């Protein structure tokens, strides 16, 4: 354990004085579910206004186009919100990346729309922990860094995307570009209520398997039909059988079917894979290819596979271990215990790590029950985590990960 330097103590005080709670409450009052384009536009403008207090070039970037498979088997380009990108001192000797997301999982018509204070003092509000509180922490830490005499040594990019909750498909190229050349990255997903961080993460892949069969009368000539629903069910069973300790497989939904007296000619199987390492991705892809081929042959149908493994597994390599140790030491000097454990969840930290950049991706607030109407933020963690970020960033600026 070391003592905080005078520069670090000043930065912590500035970060903790930031109006983080007020910002979090205001941002959580905006419904910015991933598909709520109007809400995301409002949120992007609010964030652009807040982050414009930092120097550098700020832009709201139009999203890349993303194809989605509809329930009728056709593909359609899905609209996404703009992404916020800020670049500060790109020629500074130390370069880091900070990322977050402005979208939530709550659709525009979800009943969870407003915040309230709980009897235990926690804030229950949509996106308060995941991750509007984290965005407030990020901004507070950067405001403190900018007031520091070490600011000139540090360059950074901030990327706040609008589609993280659905896999960051429209922002993946931005993430990869922003990660290029960075010594480290910090992402502001929430920590657990006790402050535990996410360490190693598994990966994920989402697929839609479109099955085209042949329609026929269920009574007069069923033998002339090719039942797409039965074929999709067979696909689901074959893929479920590919489960193993390093690979979770979840056939989640079948769209299709119709009247009882008609052999269905269309079905779409939605399936999620959770590989824990690169080998599991290869085995999952082989299982997909094999199941599609065998079901096509057995049921005399056509199977079209749409999707990808969009978030690779994130192991803790040597660089990540050094970054976690730096955060842990910063926490110790602030009186904040820092530990981490592996998790099956995924986030943009997976994508950043796949670019070869060490990342700690749970630098946000302490909170819990995210993705539910019981989501909560522990308000005292705003100041705590802002101080932790400020010290971590200053030490990266001064010493890097050496």
């Amino acid at each position: 354990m070391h003592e905080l330097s005078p520069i670090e103590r000043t930065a912590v005080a500035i970060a903790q004085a930031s109006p983080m709670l007020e910002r979090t409450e205001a941002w959580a009052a905006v419904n910015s579910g991933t598909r709520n384009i109007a809400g995301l536009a409002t949120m992007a403008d609010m964030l652009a206004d807040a982050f414009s207090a930092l120097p550098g070039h700020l832009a709201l970037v139009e999203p890349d186009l993303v194809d989605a498979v509809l329930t009728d088997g056709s593909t359609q380009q899905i609209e996404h919100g703009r992404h916020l990108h800020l670049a500060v001192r790109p020629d500074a000797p130390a370069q880091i990346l900070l990322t977050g997301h402005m979208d939530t999982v709550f659709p525009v018509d979800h009943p969870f729309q407003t915040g309230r204070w709980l009897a235990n003092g926690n804030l229950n509000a949509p996106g308060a922990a995941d991750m509007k509180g984290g965005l407030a922490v990020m901004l507070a830490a950067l405001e403190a860094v900018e007031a520091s005499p070490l600011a000139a040594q540090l360059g950074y990019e901030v990327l706040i995307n609008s589609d993280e909750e659905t896999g960051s498909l429209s922002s993946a190229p931005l993430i990869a570009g922003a990660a290029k050349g960075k010594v480290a990255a910090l992402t502001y997903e929430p920590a657990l209520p006790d402050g535990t961080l996410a360490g190693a993460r598994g990966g994920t892949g989402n697929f839609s398997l479109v099955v085209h069969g042949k329609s026929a009368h269920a009574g007069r000539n069923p033998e002339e039909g090719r039942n797409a629903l039965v074929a999709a069910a067979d696909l689901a069973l074959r893929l479920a059988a590919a489960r193993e300790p390093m690979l979770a497989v979840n056939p989640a939904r079948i769209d299709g079917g119709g009247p009882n007296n008609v052999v269905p000619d269309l079905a779409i199987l939605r399936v999620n894979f959770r590989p824990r390492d690169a080998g599991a991705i290869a085995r999952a892809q082989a299982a997909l290819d094999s199941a599609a081929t065998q079901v096509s042959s057995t049921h005399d149908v056509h199977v079209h596979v749409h999707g990808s493994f969009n978030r690779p597994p994130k192991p803790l390599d040597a660089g990540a271990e050094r970054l976690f140790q730096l955060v842990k030491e910063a926490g110790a000097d602030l009186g904040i215990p820092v530990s981490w454990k592996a998790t099956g969840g995924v986030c943009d930290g997976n994508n950043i790590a796949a670019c070869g950049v060490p990342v700690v991706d749970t630098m946000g607030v302490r909170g819990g029950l995210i993705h539910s109407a019981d989501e909560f933020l522990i308000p005292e963690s705003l100041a705590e985590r802002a101080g932790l970020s400020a010290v971590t960033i200053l030490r990266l600026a001064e010493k890097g990960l050496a």
Side-chain angles (χ1 to χ4, degrees), residues 6-95:
I7 289 174
E8 291 171 344
R9 285 196 296 271
T10 299
V12 169
I14 292 171
Q16 294 180 341
S18 176
M20 288 177 282
L21 182 57
E22 292 86 343
R23 285 169 173 163
T24 301
E25 289 186 284
W27 295 341
V30 178
N31 181 298
S32 57
T34 311
R35 301 291 182 233
N36 181 5
I37 303 304
L40 286 167
T42 298
M43 192 70 221
D45 288 339
M46 293 174 72
L47 290 172
D49 182 64
F51 277 78
S52 66
L54 302 172
H57 179 261
L58 186 149
L60 292 176
V61 181
E62 293 299 323
D64 275 8
L65 298 175
V66 176
D67 287 339
V69 177
L70 305 184
T71 56
D72 65 359
S74 65
T75 58
Q76 176 179 303
Q77 291 181 335
I78 299 296
E79 191 175 4
H80 290 85
R82 296 168 296 171
H83 312 299
L84 184 149
H85 179 257
L86 171 68
V88 177
R89 291 185 294 273
D91 297 323
Q95 294 288 326

Side-chain angles (χ1 to χ4, degrees), residues 87-111:
V88 177
R89 291 185 294 273
D91 297 323
Q95 294 288 326
I96 67 170
L97 171 63
L98 302 99
T99 71
H101 62 87
M102 66 182 80
D103 61 324
T104 72
V105 300
F106 305 106
V108 67
D109 58 351
H110 195 282

Side-chain angles (χ1 to χ4, degrees), residues 11-234:
V12 169
I14 292 171
Q16 294 180 341
S18 176
M20 288 177 282
L21 182 57
E22 292 86 343
R23 285 169 173 163
T24 301
E25 289 186 284
W27 295 341
V30 178
N31 181 298
S32 57
T34 311
R35 301 291 182 233
N36 181 5
I37 303 304
L40 286 167
T42 298
M43 192 70 221
D45 288 339
M46 293 174 72
L47 290 172
D49 182 64
F51 277 78
S52 66
L54 302 172
H57 179 261
L58 186 149
L60 292 176
V61 181
E62 293 299 323
D64 275 8
L65 298 175
V66 176
D67 287 339
V69 177
L70 305 184
T71 56
D72 65 359
S74 65
T75 58
Q76 176 179 303
Q77 291 181 335
I78 299 296
E79 191 175 4
H80 290 85
R82 296 168 296 171
H83 312 299
L84 184 149
H85 179 257
L86 171 68
V88 177
R89 291 185 294 273
D91 297 323
Q95 294 288 326
I96 67 170
L97 171 63
L98 302 99
T99 71
H101 62 87
M102 66 182 80
D103 61 324
T104 72
V105 300
F106 305 106
V108 67
D109 58 351
H110 195 282
F112 188 34
Q113 298 284 344
T114 59
R116 66 189 179 103
W117 288 97
L118 304 178
N120 62 4
N122 292 338
L123 176 63
N124 166 228
D130 186 21
M131 64 160 49
K132 293 176 180 180
L135 297 178
V137 166
M138 180 203 297
L139 178 54
L142 290 174
E143 288 172 329
V145 168
E146 288 301 329
S148 164
L150 295 177
Q153 297 178 213
L154 178 72
Y156 56 89
E157 289 186 57
V158 172
L159 180 59
I160 303 175
N161 56 4
S162 68
D163 65 337
E164 190 277 339
E165 296 291 7
T166 54
S168 302
L169 296 175
S170 80
S171 57
L174 276 177
I175 295 170
K180 196 172 183 180
K182 302 300 187 292
V183 66
L186 305 174
T187 295
Y188 285 78
E189 295 289 348
L192 293 177
D194 67 357
T196 301
L197 309 179
R201 291 182 181 270
T204 189
N206 290 298
F207 292 84
S208 295
L209 284 72
V210 181
V211 183
H212 290 281
K214 182 180 179 182
S215 182
H217 193 286
R220 289 186 176 183
N221 59 333
E223 69 283 352
E224 295 181 14
R226 299 294 182 266
N227 194 309
L229 198 68
V230 171
D234 191 6

Side-chain angles (χ1 to χ4, degrees), residues 35 150 205 238 271 345 398:
R35 301 291 182 233
L150 295 177
R238 290 173 187 266
V271 61
E398 195 170 17

